[in-house]
Amino acid sequence: MSPAAARTADVVVIGAGIAGASAAFALARAGLRVVLLERESQPAYHTTGRSAALFIKCYGNATVRRLTVDSEPFYREPPAGFAEVPLLTPRGFMFVARGDQLAKLHEEIAFARRFVPAVRRLEADEARALVPLLRPGYAAAAMLDPEARDLDVAAIMGGYLRGLRAAGGELLCNAEVTALRREERGWRVASRAGEFATPVVVDAAGAWADAVAGLAGLSPLGLVPRRRTAFLVDPPDGVEVGRWPLVADVEEQFYIKPDAGRILCSPADETPSPPCDAAPEELDVAIAVERIQRAFDLPVRHIRHRWAGLRTFATDDTPVLGFDPRAEGFFWLAGQGGYGIQTAPAMAALAAAAIAGTGGTADAGLLEALDPARLLRDR
């Protein structure tokens, strides 16, 4: 690193996806001087910008579901001036199960009702009434979560970034971090947008989180990016899909969701990948088409658009939030998997509480579940 004077900040957040943007917003509103660094030319370029954009309180493990429930008040009533449009709009979520999957469906219904009491079991004809393209005889039953909502990701990201700037924070793009060094009074952060001195570094780098830790001399936590593929197709002529819920296989072998008059399709793949600008594989698209056509009367004549994103998971599928016990001032905010947007407000509030001392006392069990130290034990 150069001996030149570095700009100072109270916190440097690395990564301007939903995790970094929401945390930077919360920290700046807590009165800290925040710099948010993004390696790409725009924020939310990778996973956040490629999300299926659904808020489902009965999705993920128990810790994820608690974070999602805790995030709902923010999305329903965001701070004044945060957004000019609703952040949540009605959608619904339905698991479908074949006859051989009914035990799994009943297990999911019981777990889901702990977080969404309105969840109910549907008979096959009720499921087909909601989604008429569901093939007769395919689904033996289904689970409906009527409280699932679409997320307006663009409005959410815009609100977080405007709020960051309004509170005196700064977003710098094309600012890949190239080195991290612990000094007497904190961290020296070298980036392509300059150098920064700060007592706290927040690693919100998504698929690159372990790599950023490596720059700080820390061994990885074992976070694994997994590729998720999606594509858009047209519905059959004359079929209106706008009111359909998102429909997923109960064992998450596929899902479909209405998207601006078309149908978003995915094989719900979770293929381990190195950190990269993910691209869809033809095989994954073909697998999705085969699975979806088995369940739905949906001819796929033309794929309008296809893409892939990386969802990064810890070994226990629980996000990572907290200071690293091996390096003072190094804070993890990573491993959100496919739940980053729906849990962002709660995760940001916890990060701000830990770093800036804002808010009340968080549940000790929740903090223990998120603590990065759990992934360092038994090594």
Side-chain angles (χ1 to χ4, degrees):
M1 295 188 187
S2 125
R7 294 176 55 192
T8 60
D10 294 321
V11 184
V12 171
V13 180
I14 302 172
I18 190 66
S22 59
F25 166 88
L27 289 163
R29 283 169 63 90
L32 300 184
R33 293 171 297 158
V34 180
V35 174
L36 176 59
L37 302 178
E38 170 55 48
R39 72 194 298 270
E40 306 295 348
S41 60
Q42 64 189 57
Y45 176 78
H46 290 285
T47 304
T48 301
R50 309 177 195 193
S51 166
L54 206 69
F55 184 87
I56 313 175
K57 291 181 287 186
C58 60
Y59 184 47
N61 63 26
T63 300
V64 169
R65 296 183 191 206
R66 286 186 58 191
L67 291 165
T68 305
V69 169
D70 289 348
S71 295
E72 185 174 23
F74 183 98
Y75 282 144
R76 286 195 178 276
E77 295 187 20
F82 188 88
E84 296 180 354
V85 297
L87 302 180
L88 298 175
T89 53
R91 171 58 57 201
F93 167 70
M94 186 166 72
F95 267 143
V96 293
R98 302 184 306 269
D100 60 309
Q101 297 174 310
L102 286 177
K104 175 65 173 175
L105 182 72
H106 297 153
E107 177 185 315
E108 286 291 339
I109 291 172
F111 190 23
R113 283 176 175 160
R114 290 170 49 187
F115 302 88
V116 186
V119 160
R120 62 190 180 95
R121 185 184 189 276
L122 301 180
E123 300 303 325
D125 58 344
E126 294 177 294
R128 289 193 63 233
L130 286 176
V131 182
L133 294 188
L134 191 61
R135 290 187 184 277
Y138 178 82
M143 180 194 93
L144 179 67
D145 171 7
E147 297 184 7
R149 298 287 187 265
D150 281 334
L151 288 158
D152 191 327
V153 178
I156 291 166
M157 280 297 299
Y160 278 133
L161 295 176
R162 282 192 304 274
L164 168 66
R165 296 186 185 101
E170 185 177 8
L171 165 66
L172 297 174
C173 294
N174 297 309
E176 180 181 4
V177 172
T178 56
L180 287 167
R181 185 178 71 212
R182 180 73 195 172
E183 297 182 332
E184 183 179 353
R185 296 185 179 180
W187 290 93
R188 181 91 163 205
V189 182
S191 80
R192 301 198 185 281
E195 294 193 4
F196 302 87
T198 180
V200 177
V201 169
V202 176
D203 183 356
W208 285 265
D210 267 346
V212 166
L215 295 176
L218 299 173
S219 59
L221 292 184
L223 304 178
V224 178
R226 302 178 194 168
R227 188 177 67 245
R228 171 61 56 92
T229 304
F231 55 91
L232 290 174
V233 301
D234 292 324
D237 292 343
V239 174
E240 172 55 48
V241 302
R243 296 181 181 273
W244 289 5
L246 182 147
V247 185
D249 171 72
V250 73
E251 294 178 322
E252 296 193 57
Q253 295 298 301
F254 65 78
Y255 67 80
I256 66 170
K257 178 189 180 230
D259 189 304
R262 294 195 168 112
I263 301 175
L264 185 156
C265 304
S266 175
D269 47 329
E270 293 189 347
T271 307
S273 168
C276 65
D277 186 358
E281 299 279 348
E282 289 295 336
L283 178 60
D284 293 326
V285 173
I287 288 171
V289 170
E290 190 276 330
R291 291 175 180 173
I292 289 167
Q293 288 189 326
R294 190 188 314 159
F296 302 92
D297 184 11
L298 178 59
V300 178
R301 300 184 180 90
H302 178 63
I303 293 175
R304 294 289 181 177
H305 178 51
R306 66 191 76 195
W307 66 94
L310 298 181
R311 305 152 79 241
T312 301
F313 292 83
T315 53
D316 57 5
D317 290 350
T318 296
V320 182
L321 180 148
F323 283 105
D324 192 301
R326 304 167 295 176
E328 183 180 355
F330 189 93
F331 193 91
W332 290 88
L333 185 62
Q336 289 89 345
Y339 321 107
I341 303 173
Q342 68 181 45
T343 62
M347 292 280 283
L350 289 171
I355 296 168
T358 63
T361 302
D363 180 271
L366 179 60
L367 292 177
E368 183 178 2
L370 298 170
D371 191 347
R374 76 186 193 272
L375 302 174
L376 299 172
R377 300 181 188 119
D378 302 322
R379 285 194 171 185

